[in-house]
Amino acid sequence: MAKEAKDKVLTGAEILIRCLQEEKVEHVFGYPGGSVLYIYDALSQQDKVKHILVRHEQAAVHAADAYSRSSNKIGVCLVTSGPGVTNAVTGIATAYMDSIPLVAITGQVPTAAIGQDAFQECDTVGITRPCVKHNFLVKDVKDLALTLKKAFYLARTGRPGPVLVDIPKDVSAQSCAFDYPESISIRSYNPIVKGHSGQIKKAVQLLQDAKRPMVYTGGGVILSNASERLTTLTRKLGYPITNTLMGLGAYPASDKQFLGMPGMHGTYETNMAMQHCDVLLAIGARFDDRVIGNPTHFAQNKRKIIHVDIDPSSISKRVKVDVPIVGDVADVLADMLAQIDSVGLSKKTQDISAWWKQIEDWRSRDCLKYPQGPDLIMPQFVVQKLFEVTKGDAFITSDVGQHQMFAAQFYGFDKPRRWINSGGLGTMGVGLPYAMGVCLANPGAQVACVTGEASIQMCIQEMSTAKQYRLPLKIVNLNNRYLGMVRQWQQMFHGNRYAESYVDALPDFVKLAEAYGHVGMQITRPQDVAPALHEAFTTYKDQLVFMDFITDQEANVFPMIENGKGLSEMIMSEDL
């Protein structure tokens, strides 16, 4: 940075904006309020950082979150103190659970008023501490630039995550010389990037001796931008592979080695392979409850487990592993490929044709089949037609519920960062603001939000934001007039007692979309599904289209594993 720029005296608000510019931030999602008015005033006096005015602070964080997920840029949101912060907490926790790099900037009451129960005051640092990677309260304007540098550095390095910077109003008004450091070093924070060479050699030896190998990958592959290396490794090995819900697209779904998603709603062949393999290579995944079910059941069949992860606390957290490798996924995969090439793995690997024959037997069960009658629209059918119309090349966001699982099961993701959903926290309402963030990060791309009539109403006010900024996203509403996943569990485990899962008094979504200035459609017949989707993506390419698909009320997601059960204890559609 030039000396004259360093010496220039700026207000805290101006320093914040200059820091965002230095970090090449293009969009900030936010909502103004009293504690951030100096910041908004500074925003209005420049044009490099564009502000997107959402209609609720939760949507600001969700949109910034999806901006990051779909582009590998740092998402940034800006909210005011008190209720602005508390409204944003759900979005921050959502990003935290899925390790999404994000910088949340929050306003705070003046420093002299902190702790005095001032108007719109809350303990932002205390409230958000459990759901951020780190947070800061800036009490001196001289610390602001350095703190922001640390925030961006912490958010993107190691295991990524949201970092919050709380700025009191008086700090944003005070002035000092601007000096933004070109680099940063934090003595107490030194994430390991390179994997241990000895452990990598052990891993390669296990892989070449495997008779029933399996590759299990998660969102860490996508966060590390390691999809190409993963694909190279997997094809070189010739082994079966699965991507978790957060990892879909890390390996092409259309490839014959891909077995589908694992876990509670994973495919039969994947879960059986996970349970009966003799060597499991886990990359950027955390063996969570929705993937392996009951850890005791998972441990019944002995196998050797190799676990690659940037976060040492994730290794052997739920499942004891044999070869832990701490490091950045992309770096470790590069070293594994180099090691494989050096030992000539292709000549030494076991013949696994019998293993593939067993997998094909499991695959022949066709566990994702569903009935399709002439009159009712099946939600799975809508997703399949969405895939066909978009040629599998769209960005798909989802809310949380049955529609999320149908999208994961039936939209084959061949590319990373195309599937944007809340995996860890399971947050209803994310779909529409996610789609907004994706549109802004990827202008000109096809973007569809797969949602349900309950989820979409949680942030439906963001249709106003989409109108203001002309975001041509498509809403695919799988409307079954129920809280679908709740109803499914009530049917299967609560004696068909549908307590508060029926959604009554729904709005006319077509009229509602039109009231916001968008295009609305209602589709009630299976033969009209593909034409409606085609019209939305062609005739109305440059407009938001709300497609209200009236679907079968009794459609369930299968396969399914009940809570507390194991991977091989799947409930199939024919079991009911």
Side-chain angles (χ1 to χ4, degrees):
M1 190 181 301
K3 185 177 187 299
E4 57 269 22
K6 284 187 176 184
D7 293 341
K8 189 171 183 180
V9 175
L10 302 175
T11 66
E14 292 168 335
I15 287 171
L16 168 59
I17 306 307
R18 285 295 304 274
C19 292
L20 296 180
Q21 293 172 353
E22 291 290 332
E23 291 290 341
K24 303 296 190 293
V25 172
E26 297 175 352
H27 294 94
V28 171
F29 301 86
Y31 202 94
S35 291
V36 288
L37 287 184
Y38 288 113
I39 297 172
Y40 272 88
D41 189 47
L43 263 172
S44 71
Q45 297 181 54
Q46 55 83 55
D47 57 8
K48 291 183 179 179
V49 179
K50 297 177 177 63
H51 181 269
I52 305 300
L53 177 65
V54 297
R55 295 338 188 230
H56 191 285
E57 289 92 348
Q58 179 173 330
V61 192
H62 290 328
D65 174 350
Y67 190 93
S68 176
R69 292 182 196 239
S70 65
S71 68
N72 195 34
K73 300 175 183 177
I74 302 292
V76 179
C77 58
L78 170 61
V79 301
T80 194
S81 62
V85 168
T86 56
N87 282 345
V89 166
T90 297
I92 294 169
T94 300
Y96 179 72
M97 285 290 282
D98 291 342
S99 302
I100 305 303
L102 178 77
V103 172
I105 300 163
T106 58
Q108 184 55 274
V109 299
T111 51
I114 293 175
Q116 303 298 312
D117 294 331
F119 176 67
Q120 291 193 333
E121 180 191 1
C122 72
D123 179 6
T124 299
V125 169
I127 288 171
T128 61
R129 184 175 287 119
C131 61
V132 294
K133 185 174 179 181
H134 196 67
N135 57 21
F136 299 92
L137 171 61
V138 183
K139 293 185 176 181
D140 189 329
V141 68
K142 296 183 182 68
D143 298 329
L144 183 55
L146 179 60
T147 300
L148 285 162
K149 185 69 176 184
K150 289 180 179 178
F152 279 91
Y153 174 67
L154 288 169
R156 68 165 60 93
T157 57
R159 180 176 181 172
V163 178
L164 183 143
V165 181
D166 199 29
I167 305 175
K169 187 171 184 177
D170 57 318
V171 172
S172 65
Q174 294 165 359
S175 300
C176 72
F178 175 60
D179 182 7
Y180 197 63
E182 294 181 4
S183 60
I184 193 77
S185 176
I186 302 175
R187 186 175 60 182
S188 60
Y189 175 75
N190 293 289
I192 297 171
V193 175
K194 297 291 289 182
H196 189 281
S197 60
Q199 294 295 85
I200 291 172
K201 287 180 181 178
K202 286 182 185 177
V204 169
Q205 184 66 51
L206 277 177
L207 287 170
Q208 71 181 19
D209 292 340
K211 296 179 181 178
R212 302 186 308 278
M214 182 67 176
V215 181
Y216 152 57
T217 70
V221 175
I222 293 174
L223 291 169
S224 184
N225 298 310
S227 298
E228 187 175 334
R229 289 175 182 174
L230 172 68
T231 301
T232 300
L233 174 70
T234 304
R235 287 176 174 165
K236 187 183 289 284
L237 292 169
Y239 292 171
I241 183 172
T242 179
N243 297 154
T244 66
L245 181 72
M246 295 306 303
L248 291 176
Y251 187 86
S254 59
D255 192 279
K256 63 181 181 180
Q257 289 174 237
F258 183 68
L259 304 190
M261 186 173 66
M264 179 173 280
H265 295 296
T267 63
Y268 182 75
E269 53 268 30
T270 294
N271 286 341
M272 294 300 285
M274 287 277 286
Q275 188 66 2
H276 295 287
C277 64
D278 65 349
V279 174
L280 181 64
L281 172 59
I283 309 172
R286 57 191 180 91
F287 294 91
D288 67 278
D289 58 304
R290 291 293 169 112
V291 169
I292 67 163
N294 188 331
T296 302
H297 179 277
F298 188 71
Q300 286 176 351
N301 293 355
K302 298 299 181 184
R303 60 179 77 71
K304 295 293 184 180
I305 299 177
I306 306 158
H307 192 179
V308 180
D309 204 290
I310 189 72
D311 181 5
S313 71
S314 290
I315 296 179
S316 290
K317 186 174 185 177
R318 298 193 77 239
V319 171
K320 189 180 187 307
V321 306
D322 301 280
V323 183
I325 304 175
V326 178
D328 181 81
V329 165
D331 285 287
V332 173
L333 286 177
D335 290 342
M336 290 185 76
L337 283 165
Q339 176 69 17
I340 286 170
D341 290 340
S342 72
V343 300
L345 179 64
S346 60
K347 298 177 182 178
K348 296 183 179 180
T349 47
Q350 298 287 329
D351 178 8
I352 62 167
S353 56
W355 177 232
W356 269 114
K357 183 178 183 302
Q358 173 65 79
I359 289 171
E360 293 304 326
D361 286 344
W362 289 327
R363 188 180 257 164
S364 67
R365 188 160 180 177
D366 191 15
C367 65
L368 296 180
K369 62 180 178 291
Y370 62 91
Q372 176 62 60
D375 302 317
L376 286 175
I377 296 176
M378 300 302 290
Q380 302 96 319
F381 178 74
V382 177
V383 176
Q384 286 181 312
K385 291 303 174 184
L386 175 63
F387 176 85
E388 292 174 12
V389 168
T390 60
K391 298 180 173 57
D393 199 38
F395 288 85
I396 305 297
T397 75
S398 85
D399 277 292
V400 172
Q402 285 183 322
H403 57 270
Q404 176 190 25
M405 294 299 107
F406 290 137
Q409 290 176 331
F410 290 93
Y411 197 100
F413 296 94
D414 276 350
K415 299 176 182 178
R417 299 188 182 276
R418 295 301 178 99
W419 169 234
I420 314 297
N421 80 119
S422 169
L425 198 64
T427 306
M428 291 176 69
V430 298
L432 177 52
Y434 270 3
M436 298 188 319
V438 172
C439 280
L440 286 159
N442 303 273
Q446 296 182 113
V447 181
C449 166
V450 177
T451 185
E453 76 290 339
S455 283
I456 191 63
Q457 293 191 82
M458 289 195 169
C459 282
I460 202 162
Q461 72 283 343
E462 298 310 317
M463 289 176 70
S464 177
T465 306
K467 180 64 177 178
Q468 180 174 345
Y469 298 98
R470 297 180 176 85
L471 305 179
L473 59 96
K474 314 305 177 199
I475 297 174
V476 178
N477 188 39
L478 304 180
N479 187 345
N480 63 6
R481 289 79 73 207
Y482 270 109
L483 304 180
M485 192 61 84
V486 173
R487 182 206 57 76
Q488 177 170 339
W489 282 56
Q490 289 172 333
Q491 174 191 343
M492 298 174 68
F493 310 121
H494 298 277
N496 294 294
R497 293 182 296 277
Y498 301 142
E500 302 300 328
S501 58
Y502 179 73
V503 182
D504 205 354
L506 287 172
D508 182 327
F509 287 110
V510 173
K511 290 182 179 178
L512 186 59
E514 292 172 347
Y516 277 109
H518 303 300
V519 177
M521 304 177 181
Q522 187 180 81
I523 302 93
T524 59
R525 304 187 306 169
Q527 59 266 39
D528 295 331
V529 170
L533 287 164
H534 186 267
E535 184 179 16
F537 281 97
T538 55
T539 304
Y540 300 113
K541 178 182 177 182
D542 298 324
Q543 293 178 258
L544 185 152
V545 182
F546 193 116
M547 289 166 277
D548 188 23
F549 293 94
I550 308 303
T551 62
D552 180 10
Q553 287 191 280
E554 298 180 357
N556 286 333
V557 184
F558 291 109
M560 180 177 182
I561 300 173
E562 184 182 355
N563 267 352
K565 299 292 185 179
L567 278 182
S568 60
E569 299 175 287
M570 283 167 277
I571 303 170
M572 312 295 281
S573 58
E574 59 265 29
D575 294 335
L576 294 185

